[in-house]
Amino acid sequence: MDFCTAIEILAVAVAVIQILRLIFTDCDLQLQWAEKFGQSTGVLARKVVWITGASSGIGEYLAYELAKAGCRLILTARREEELQRVKKQCLSFGSLLDEDILVLPLDLLQFDRHRPAVEEVIARYKQIDVLVNNAGRSQRAAWEKTDLQVDREMLEINVLSVLSLTKQVLPRMLDRGQGHIVNMSSVAGKVGAPLSGSYTGAKHAIQGWFNALRMEMYSRNISVTNLCPGPVFSNLLKGSFTEKTGEVLDVEMKEGEKRMSTERCARLCAVAIANRLDEVWISQHPILLGVYLSQYMPTIGTWLLKRVGVKVVSRFREGK
Ligand SMILES: NC(=O)c1ccc[n+]([C@@H]2O[C@H](COP(=O)([O-])OP(=O)(O)OC[C@H]3O[C@@H](n4cnc5c(N)ncnc54)[C@H](OP(=O)(O)O)[C@@H]3O)[C@@H](O)[C@H]2O)c1
């Protein structure tokens, strides 16, 4: 066998292995690799991690993952009693003491409270190692029927509140010469998700803003991770925007819907944080495949999504 033939066989073997890995995964291949062979979440032990939106869903289960890893936690959301419930559960794993978890109720739309909140955290722990900007709201709406006010409110909670809190935390990280900003984006931050126009716009904005920050921070030892999950079980639809100003969707996710479990999503998010990955995609197929197609074969991806996107999303939402 000559050298060229050997290289060709090797290339085909690598391609087959990658395709097999892709068929049987529920996340992108870099994250899959990190989960098996990368840093364990144990490297985060004693880090001070601030999670927004920790009273429910992905933020709540991420708190459990990080509590098991031994992180000191700041839990933020509006509902204090829910945060206390999450704290109690975190303490039950036995790795943390009461003083290792700060419950910090905060409505992130009250921008003037961001600075005092950061000061309270610094007074308690002296440092913030990781900020997880997770809190957010979703949407179900037709683009052409959506009030401009809904777009505005979506940007306030899913983008501007994230920028504001990060702008308060980042100088503290720069003072110490280290830190990690983690944002809960979505596959809707990578691909135009039909029937969620304002949400898609907001998550794309997060990607853009923080991709720029990652470049500026590289030489200053601050990492930026964008987490992009597909559908995950949580309470997201209860508080979702619709097309109309002031209206809330108030829908429960039903068992049997094609969604990832909250535990699994949180586990993969924790692995991404431990390994300081730049961007991760967390989803089952066919959505994961759609993201791969859009990223690596955008012409084919857009051609296909234009034709099937609305149908697929509508059927998914009808639970079919
Ligand atoms: N579930 C999915 O399918 C999915 C997929 C991709 C991305 N995501 C993203 O994941 C993140 C978490 O959502 P989830 O699915 O876990 O939904 P969830 O269960 O509804 O959690 C949302 C969290 O955000 C908090 N929150 C909402 N408005 C807030 C405000 N004004 N101030 C402070 N906290 C606020 C909520 O707490 P309070 O109500 O107590 O304030 C809650 O803890 C969101 O950014 C979402 O876009 C979710």
Side-chain angles (χ1 to χ4, degrees), residues 55-56 58 78-79 107-108 134 199 203 230 232 234-235:
S55 64
S56 164
I58 302 171
R78 289 165 300 183
R79 292 169 297 161
D107 182 345
L108 287 161
N134 165 72
Y199 183 72
K203 293 300 186 186
V232 176
S234 74
N235 291 309

Side-chain angles (χ1 to χ4, degrees), residues 293-319:
L293 213 54
S294 299
Q295 182 82 17
Y296 292 107
M297 298 178 183
T299 310
I300 297 174
T302 306
W303 184 90
L304 196 67
L305 287 175
K306 274 196 295 189
R307 281 156 182 81
V308 303
V310 173
K311 261 185 237 154
V312 168
V313 169
S314 302
R315 282 174 66 84
F316 174 79
R317 288 180 181 177
E318 287 159 18

Side-chain angles (χ1 to χ4, degrees), residues 14-15 21 25 53 77 84-85 107 135 162 166 170 177 180 191 198 200 217 220 225 240 269 289 318:
V14 168
R21 284 179 66 204
T25 186
Q84 293 294 356
R85 174 184 62 78
D107 182 345
V162 174
T166 305
L170 191 58
H180 190 176
V191 179
S198 328
T200 298
M217 289 298 125
R220 302 171 78 183
T225 297
S240 282
C269 291
L289 202 59
E318 287 159 18

Side-chain angles (χ1 to χ4, degrees), residues 5 59 76 80 153 193 237 249 253 264 284 317 319-320:
T5 315
T76 282
E80 184 171 0
E153 289 178 19
L237 298 183
L249 187 68
M253 293 178 186
R264 176 67 184 148
Q284 294 153 338
R317 288 180 181 177
K320 291 180 190 160

